[in-house]
Amino acid sequence: MIPQASKFKQGKGPQMDYSAALDQAIGKLHEEGRYRTFIDIERRKGAYPQAIWTRPDGSETEITVWCGNDYLGMGQHPVVLAAMHEALDSTGAGSGGTRNISGTTVYHKKLEAEIADLHGKEASLVFSSAYIANDATLSTLRKLFPGLIIYSDALNHASMIEGIKRFDGAKRIFRHNDVAHLRELLEADDPEAPKLIAFESIYSMDGDFGPIAAICDLAREFSALTYLDEVHAVGMYGPRGGGVAERDGLLDRIDIFNGTLGKAFGVFGGYIAASAKMVDAIRSYAPGFIFTTSLPPAVAAGAAASIAFLKTAEGQVLRDQQQLNARILKMRLRGLGMPIMDHGSHIVPVHVGHPVHCKALSDMLLADFGIYVQPINFPTVPRGTERLRFTPSPVHDPRQIDQLVRAMDNLWSQCKLNRSTSAA
């Protein structure tokens, strides 16, 4: 029997109805149309982006996943699976401890060497997720640089925001991608104070790019460190998948990279890459690293194999096909007058603008057409900018793209939504 939330707690003072408070909190999400529903899916090896959806009544339906972050299909690639099988057969399941206490294996060291090489840095440090890597690193920097001021883009990811909130020092927020505003903030502060600028290469909800070169120019002018989140770009851009900074020839101008192993690389985990001294300091001071069990060796092995593969010409073939599929999908949706948000990246957001409509479209695409795309609502995006966010991959075929476009055309008319060629 599952215990229910206690209605009242006995004791002195006013009595709190905890169950009613939970009902109120969850009910508010339902009323606003932004209650999040998990659907049960089973990915089948070799079949992605096809998956099996278990409906609430227990029946099973084949669906096409259009909102996954396995951007290149590496989660099912034979090279990755073979590496994971080898490590699992050799070492077993878990790592057995934190990195400091028995949890560092040859697989972790190989993975960190691959990451450092990917970003042209001396060293890297693997965390249990990119969220933890951001949070742990950014919140720790004050211990390393007394008096540090952090300048953060207004649309930085929640993990960066959380780390900066917990950072015990001065914080400045500059308007999204507004280099002039960033300059104003830098000029207003003590020129002798240590500084760090935290921003992203691709902002995943709009799919727009950060002005990396311009921010690096400001960082050099004001003697600031640069912290670049490449979570949605690693594996996807650059001749070896090193991200937008590699594509633009800017690897040497970034002091600290943050990245993920769970999106384009198709496995799990996160990391930072930087100078050997910076990595050593974070390793030694960040509680989020020190007190966390390390990745299972099989996961580390699969991630290392994925990174190594995507550095090759075969990896470039996947990147090229993914970009082609993204362009085709954008072109076809734009041809139907869909309000797509196109900033030139691999992400294809379609602006809906209302949480209830967004959820309804998502539900109908799944139930009627076997197309799975999650609605993106507040607080992930601002109110009034609710959207469906499509992530085409190289393993989506022309038939699946055609099915999606026809379904969107049908439902957009059925729901009587406005059509336009673009969205802000």
Side-chain angles (χ1 to χ4, degrees):
M1 181 177 179
I2 300 174
Q4 300 297 313
S6 299
K7 185 174 183 180
F8 294 105
K9 288 290 186 180
Q10 299 300 318
K12 298 179 180 179
Q15 298 296 299
M16 174 68 182
D17 188 337
Y18 293 97
S19 181
L22 293 174
D23 287 339
Q24 182 178 3
I26 295 171
K28 181 180 179 183
L29 298 179
H30 282 288
E31 291 169 7
E32 295 178 359
R34 56 189 187 92
Y35 179 78
R36 301 179 189 226
T37 302
F38 297 159
I39 75 165
D40 297 333
I41 66 171
E42 180 183 354
R43 286 167 49 126
R44 298 283 173 91
K45 184 178 72 173
Y48 186 76
Q50 297 301 107
I52 300 299
W53 168 41
T54 302
R55 294 173 178 266
D57 64 6
S59 62
E60 293 185 344
T61 302
E62 186 173 75
I63 62 171
T64 305
V65 178
W66 274 101
C67 57
N69 285 335
D70 187 358
Y71 288 139
L72 299 176
M74 291 302 294
Q76 64 180 5
H77 198 283
V79 168
V80 175
L81 300 185
M84 296 185 75
H85 278 297
E86 185 278 328
L88 184 64
D89 292 340
S90 297
T91 69
S95 67
T98 66
R99 289 292 297 276
N100 296 314
I101 305 175
S102 80
T104 295
T105 71
V106 293
Y107 299 101
H108 296 88
K109 300 302 290 184
K110 181 178 180 181
L111 172 57
E112 288 175 341
E114 286 285 1
I115 293 168
D117 174 72
L118 179 70
H119 291 290
K121 295 302 179 188
E122 294 176 333
S124 77
L125 194 64
V126 171
F127 293 76
S128 54
S129 71
Y131 188 108
I132 297 299
N134 269 333
D135 186 4
T137 302
L138 289 166
S139 63
T140 297
L141 290 171
R142 181 64 180 273
K143 300 174 185 176
L144 308 178
F145 307 108
L148 180 71
I149 304 171
I150 291 183
Y151 303 81
S152 174
D153 188 285
L155 292 189
N156 275 342
H157 188 265
S159 59
M160 300 174 76
I161 294 170
E162 190 63 28
I164 292 168
K165 280 181 179 178
R166 296 200 306 109
F167 167 77
D168 183 22
K171 312 162 186 69
R172 312 281 185 257
I173 309 299
F174 60 93
R175 291 186 292 271
H176 178 52
N177 281 351
D178 191 332
V179 178
H181 186 220
L182 174 58
R183 171 180 286 279
E184 291 175 12
L185 296 175
L186 288 163
E187 288 176 337
D189 282 321
D190 180 357
E192 301 300 319
K195 302 173 178 66
L196 178 139
I197 305 170
F199 61 112
E200 300 184 40
S201 61
I202 296 179
Y203 293 84
S204 64
M205 289 301 110
D206 288 357
D208 59 331
F209 292 87
I212 302 176
I215 289 177
C216 287
D217 289 342
L218 277 184
R220 180 171 55 192
E221 181 180 347
F222 289 91
S223 299
L225 296 171
T226 49
Y227 185 105
L228 180 62
D229 181 309
E230 289 251 44
V231 159
H232 290 273
V234 289
M236 304 294 293
Y237 297 84
R240 300 196 313 151
V244 179
E246 184 197 27
R247 183 198 68 179
D248 295 348
L250 300 170
L251 290 177
D252 61 334
R253 303 191 67 186
I254 303 300
D255 294 296
I256 305 173
F257 284 100
N258 171 271
T260 184
L261 305 169
K263 291 185 170 60
F265 296 128
V267 191
F268 179 78
Y271 64 84
I272 61 167
S275 68
K277 283 185 179 179
M278 182 72 76
V279 167
D280 192 28
I282 297 298
R283 178 188 69 85
S284 301
Y285 279 89
F289 175 81
I290 295 170
F291 299 104
T292 300
T293 299
S294 65
L295 291 183
V299 171
S306 184
I307 294 171
F309 178 85
L310 289 177
K311 290 176 181 177
T312 69
E314 292 178 88
Q316 189 59 46
V317 170
L318 290 181
R319 284 189 285 276
D320 290 344
Q321 185 61 50
Q322 193 283 329
Q323 290 287 337
L324 176 61
N325 282 351
R327 289 196 297 273
I328 290 171
L329 180 58
K330 290 176 185 178
M331 177 185 68
R332 294 197 61 185
L333 292 176
R334 187 184 292 111
L336 293 173
M338 296 288 170
I340 68 169
M341 306 167 73
D342 186 5
H343 296 281
S345 74
H346 61 284
I347 296 168
V348 186
V350 178
H351 180 267
V352 178
H354 192 285
V356 174
H357 293 161
C358 200
K359 180 66 166 60
L361 279 171
S362 172
D363 289 345
M364 288 187 288
L365 282 168
L366 181 63
D368 300 340
F369 297 93
I371 291 170
Y372 175 39
V373 57
Q374 277 290 98
I376 306 295
N377 294 331
F378 177 84
T380 306
V381 296
R383 296 181 192 275
T385 69
E386 292 80 7
R387 67 204 62 177
L388 298 175
R389 176 180 173 274
F390 298 98
T391 52
S393 75
V395 292
H396 284 93
D397 62 35
R399 179 188 61 81
Q400 291 163 338
I401 294 174
D402 188 64
Q403 179 193 28
L404 170 61
V405 171
R406 291 176 182 275
M408 285 290 288
D409 188 26
N410 180 302
L411 293 179
W412 210 264
S413 297
Q414 185 177 324
C415 295
K416 298 181 180 179
L417 297 173
N418 293 327
R419 296 182 188 247
S420 63
T421 56
S422 64

